[in-house]
Amino acid sequence: MSAALLYAVTGLGLFSLGFYALIVQPHLLRKILALNIMGSGVFLVLTALARRAPGGMPDPVPHAMVITGIVVAVAATALALVLLRRVVETTGQARLPDPDSE
């Protein structure tokens, strides 16, 4: 198994794990963490796809996209945490309402 394939499989696993947690967890902070895990999975897949051929030079464009994505992810996480804090101040809880209880 090559390193690129290992990165791609690990990235897909992280994305799947984050997607599952995003759907299952009602707590908003856990949803934010799940989105970050999904983003990390995408970054790993992009890094794995940057390799063109065995022994060849890697493509710099996916690496630049990953670096840009990390910056955007940090900013989006900060915004989500501010919004989470506002929701907690307004409603007193950091959970989504249960649709079955209505």
Side-chain angles (χ1 to χ4, degrees), residues 32 74-84:
I32 293 170
V74 168
T77 301
L79 177 65
L81 290 174
V82 169
L83 291 175
L84 171 65

Side-chain angles (χ1 to χ4, degrees), residues 48-92:
L49 293 176
R51 188 173 181 181
R52 289 184 177 165
M57 292 291 294
D59 189 8
V61 174
H63 288 218
M65 290 173 57
V66 168
I67 291 172
T68 304
I70 289 171
V71 172
V72 170
V74 168
T77 301
L79 177 65
L81 290 174
V82 169
L83 291 175
L84 171 65
R85 189 172 172 182
R86 180 77 50 100
V87 166
V88 170
E89 289 175 1
T90 304
T91 65

Side-chain angles (χ1 to χ4, degrees), residues 9-21:
V9 170
T10 305
L12 289 174
L14 281 175
F15 185 85
S16 301
L17 180 68
F19 188 68
Y20 174 75

